[in-house]
Amino acid sequence: MNNSRLLGAVSALLFAYTSCGIVNAALVQIDLVQGSGDGLLIRDTSNGFDWLRLTETKGLSVVDVIDNGIGGYADMGFGLASKVQVEAMFISGGIVQLSTLFVEDNYLPASNLLDLFGVLQTTGGGLPATGGWVQAPGLPDLVVSGVVQTAACCPPAGRAYVADFGAVPKTSSSDSSGVFLLRPIPIPPALWLFGSGLLGLMGISRRTRSA
C-alpha cells in the first residue's frame, strides 16, 4: 500500500468516527461514562462537539463554574462555549430561526432540545423552557443567555423560540439557567493506536524505498 492510500485510510477512519455515519446529523444523547446510563452528553456530530446537559450546572454562574474547575469537568476536556458555537448547535438540532418570535417550525426541534438539555424552568401557563450562559463576543466580563422555550398549551400553541436575552455580568446566576459547556468529540484510544500503526507503516515503507 502506498503512502497516499495509507493517508486516505486514516482520514476515512477519523471521518467515519466523528460523523458516526449520520447524514445531516442531529443531536444525540449519550453517556458521559460509557455504559453507565447517565445520559449527560449531547453529541453534535455535525459540528464535532460533545455538550454537557445544563442540569449539571443549573443555578451556577460562569464565575462559579470557572472557580470550581468547570465543576470538575475541565479534566475531561470541557470548556465554556461561545455564542457562535451555541447557535451552530441549535441549528444542528433543527432550529430554523434564531429569534424571540415564536416560530411554528421551531416547535419540534425546540422540544427535542428541551428533552436533551433538561427543562430548568416552567414559565407561566406551564410552558417548558431552559437556558444557558455563554461567553459574550468581545465582552470578556459579560455573558449572554441562550434560551429555548416552547408554547405547547396555549396561544400560540405548537410554536417555539430560541433567543438571546442580552449581556449580564459573569457573576449572574439563575435557577432557570445553567452554563453551556462543550468539548471536541474525543477519538477512542484504539482508533488513535490504529492510525499510529498505519503512519508507522508509512515510515517503514519510506525507509525501505530509500535504502
Side-chain angles (χ1 to χ4, degrees):
M1 182 181 291
N2 61 33
N3 288 352
S4 62
R5 288 181 179 177
L6 283 169
L7 282 173
V10 174
S11 299
L13 282 168
L14 294 177
F15 176 79
Y17 176 75
T18 55
S19 65
C20 296
I22 301 173
V23 179
N24 295 325
L27 306 177
V28 180
Q29 187 173 6
I30 61 173
D31 292 340
L32 175 61
V33 178
Q34 189 173 3
S36 68
D38 59 40
L40 292 179
L41 290 185
I42 296 89
R43 175 155 292 177
D44 178 4
T45 54
S46 62
N47 292 304
F49 291 110
D50 282 341
W51 296 79
L52 192 67
R53 291 197 90 204
L54 290 174
T55 51
E56 294 303 288
T57 53
K58 177 182 178 180
L60 299 178
S61 70
V62 169
V63 170
D64 292 333
V65 170
I66 292 174
D67 287 348
N68 194 27
I70 311 194
Y73 292 108
D75 292 339
M76 299 181 185
F78 286 93
L80 296 172
S82 70
K83 178 176 178 288
V84 171
Q85 289 168 328
V86 172
E87 288 177 339
M89 178 268 292
F90 283 161
I91 292 170
S92 176
I95 296 298
V96 298
Q97 183 176 337
L98 298 169
S99 167
T100 55
L101 299 175
F102 279 93
V103 179
E104 184 173 356
D105 289 342
N106 275 346
Y107 178 72
L108 288 179
S111 297
N112 185 47
L113 284 169
L114 288 166
D115 287 340
L116 290 172
F117 282 92
V119 175
L120 301 188
Q121 66 172 316
T122 302
T123 64
L127 306 181
T130 196
W133 305 114
V134 302
Q135 297 178 35
L139 301 171
D141 296 325
L142 301 177
V143 293
V144 295
S145 181
V147 178
V148 182
Q149 181 174 331
T150 59
C153 67
C154 39
R159 303 184 184 193
Y161 70 74
V162 181
D164 293 325
F165 281 162
V168 297
K170 280 186 175 180
T171 53
S172 299
S173 63
S174 169
D175 286 339
S176 62
S177 293
V179 178
F180 278 115
L181 300 176
L182 80 171
R183 70 180 181 188
I185 294 176
I187 297 176
L191 191 56
W192 274 120
L193 184 61
F194 184 70
S196 299
L198 287 177
L199 293 174
L201 287 174
M202 289 173 56
I204 293 172
S205 174
R206 186 178 296 113
R207 287 195 299 269
T208 301
R209 286 200 306 271
S210 61

